[in-house]
Structures are given as C-alpha cells and as structure tokens.
Amino acid sequence: MNEASTLGPGLPWSHRPVLIGMIHLRPLPDAPRWDGSLEAVLARALEDATALEEAGFDGLMVENFLDAPFHADRVPPVTVAAMTRVVDSVVQNTRLPVGVNVLRNDAVSALSIAAVTGAKFIRVNVHTGAMWSDQGLLTGQAHETLRLRRSLEAPVAVLADVHVKHATPPAGARLSDAASDAWQRGLADGLVVSGSGTGHAVRPDDIAEVSAGAPEAPLFLGSGVTTDTAASLPLGTHGAIVGSAVMRDGRAGAGVDPTRARSFVRAVHDSS
C-alpha cells in the first residue's frame, strides 16, 4: 500500500468528493452508559447504515462514539467482540465500503475487526507522533499496526488523523511535519484533518498546511462539514467524514436523520 492510485492505495473509491457517513454506536458493554442490550446497538447501527446508503453516501465508518470516557489505547475484549458483531452485520447488509474506528486510539483492534469482517479501512486518531488528550498522552503505533496488517495480509487502508481533534500537539509540533511523517514514514493511505472538536469546522490554514506537508496524500475533512458548507469543500480535499451534520437535531451520537442525510448529499452533488 501507499503507492500511487487515484485516491491512494487500498482506498475503495475512484472519484471525489468522497462522502463517508458515521455510524455512532450506542454504548457498548464495558461503557458507563451501557444499557444492557446489544440488540439495540445492532438495530440502530443497521438503521443508520441503511439511511446513509439510501441518501447516497460513498462509505460508512463504524465508531464506538458513545463509550466515553474512552480507554487511551487498548479496549477490553468485550468491546472488540461487540464491535466485531456489529461491523460484520453492517458489512453484510450494505454494498458500501465500511470502515472502523476504535476510540480512543486502538488501531490494532480496529484493524483486527476489519480483517475478519471484510471492512475496507480504519481511522487511527494518532498513527504517528503523540498528542495530549483527556485520556493523557496518546502515542502513535504505526510500526505495530502496519506489521499486523502485513502479517494478516489484510487489504485494509489506514486513514490517519493529523493533530487529531479533542487533543493538543506537543509544544513546537508543526502540522505540516506531522502530515509528512504520517504519510512518508507512517505509510498512511490517507490523512484526516479536523477542527478542534466534534462538529467544529476545519481551519482553511490547517488544510493548506497538511496539503503542503503531504501533497500526494488523499485528504479528508474529519469534522464540521455542514449541509450549508458541503457545496464548497475546500480545494485539495478528497472528501469528508460526516457525523453531526446528518444526525438527529445535528447532534453527534443521536442516530442518522434520513432527511438530513439526503439533504447533505444533494448539496454536494448539486455543486459537483
């Protein structure tokens, strides 16, 4: 992977803009807000997947968004087991490429889930370098992730955040250098740039800096794209990962609103 192609190696799209819709899972076992019903988790995940596919999204990303407060890196086996069951069901019930993000920064679990379910990509919050977060210091484990991918012979692409949201880079760390490291040394297959938090817009200067650091990398917006701004995705971006904007009342974790999802996709396609 990480060889030239239309949108980067291993990424299952040949066009832009690419729209990846978020499936924010209800709390899973081990999470403080777990309500005891995995069937309810599964039912809403499939409902959200159907709504996003019917709206015209290009891909889906399954994430344990409501498991806060998050483990910094490895999640417990029960979380992996629950996510595997849900991701497998989503993969079996959609024609879209499916991705996995295991919060806060468990790339090994995400890759393992993807490898056994047929998911096509994972998102890694800190793939290279380090970031200070509410979980403490998150450190990149690109060496472990990519060696595992090789040993599993898993055709799973890695989308790596650059200075991920809800976190602060070490003093003196430059966005362009972080982008270059994730792409050139971490061998990520695509990069993600976000605002300061969930639902916060990305600064245009940050997009430009990430693009300057890794001009060949597929670049996705990871937060803050709304129906109003979707019609004019910034120059140089290949697509967006969309959550809050297509959920009920515009609230992350509330489940996909089919009307909002259709309006979002229509705004993008009308401008293309």
Side-chain angles (χ1 to χ4, degrees):
M1 291 192 173
N2 201 344
E3 300 167 355
S5 74
T6 306
L7 265 182
L11 295 179
W13 303 284
S14 59
H15 66 281
R16 68 167 80 177
V18 172
L19 301 179
I20 302 172
M22 291 301 306
I23 297 176
H24 285 162
L25 298 179
R26 292 165 58 99
L28 300 174
D30 179 66
R33 291 178 284 185
W34 161 244
D35 66 6
S37 175
L38 191 59
E39 293 306 318
V41 175
L42 183 58
R44 196 172 85 176
L46 292 176
E47 179 182 311
D48 287 354
T50 298
L52 291 166
E53 181 171 12
E54 291 180 350
F57 274 78
D58 302 298
L60 309 173
M61 177 89 73
V62 180
E63 179 180 85
N64 57 326
F65 180 81
L66 291 173
D67 278 2
F70 302 113
H71 296 276
D73 38 55
R74 293 290 191 273
V75 298
V78 68
T79 302
V80 178
M83 289 194 70
T84 301
R85 179 177 174 188
V86 175
V87 172
D88 183 62
S89 187
V90 171
V91 169
Q92 297 302 320
N93 285 279
T94 182
R95 294 169 295 177
L96 300 181
V98 176
V100 183
N101 189 19
V102 181
L103 297 171
R104 178 71 152 104
N105 200 47
D106 193 347
V108 163
S109 291
L111 179 61
S112 299
I113 293 167
V116 301
T117 61
K120 300 299 184 184
F121 59 101
I122 64 173
R123 180 177 182 177
V124 184
N125 285 183
V126 182
H127 183 58
T128 54
M131 294 287 287
W132 288 103
S133 72
D134 54 310
Q135 294 81 33
L137 185 65
L138 304 177
T139 58
Q141 301 294 322
H143 62 289
E144 185 177 12
T145 305
L146 295 193
R147 282 169 172 77
L148 176 62
R149 183 172 71 178
R150 182 179 180 86
S151 70
L152 295 176
E153 298 183 349
V156 177
V158 174
L159 299 184
D161 279 272
V162 182
H163 287 185
V164 69
K165 58 190 175 182
H166 297 291
T168 303
R174 299 199 314 169
L175 200 58
S176 58
D177 291 339
S180 177
D181 284 345
W183 178 249
Q184 297 289 351
R185 295 165 65 83
L187 304 183
D189 302 307
L191 303 180
V192 181
V193 59
S194 301
S196 60
T198 300
H200 294 195
V202 185
R203 296 173 62 249
D205 288 351
D206 289 349
I207 297 170
E209 190 171 349
V210 170
S211 294
E216 297 177 355
L219 178 59
F220 296 84
L221 301 184
S223 70
V225 182
T226 67
T227 301
D228 291 336
T229 62
S232 55
L233 293 179
L235 186 66
T237 57
H238 290 76
I241 301 171
V242 185
S244 305
V246 298
M247 296 195 178
R248 297 182 181 94
D249 301 319
R251 184 164 52 89
V256 174
D257 180 330
T259 300
R260 281 178 171 267
R262 288 193 299 270
S263 296
F264 186 95
V265 173
R266 190 180 307 117
V268 174
H269 290 176
D270 287 349
S271 66
S272 300

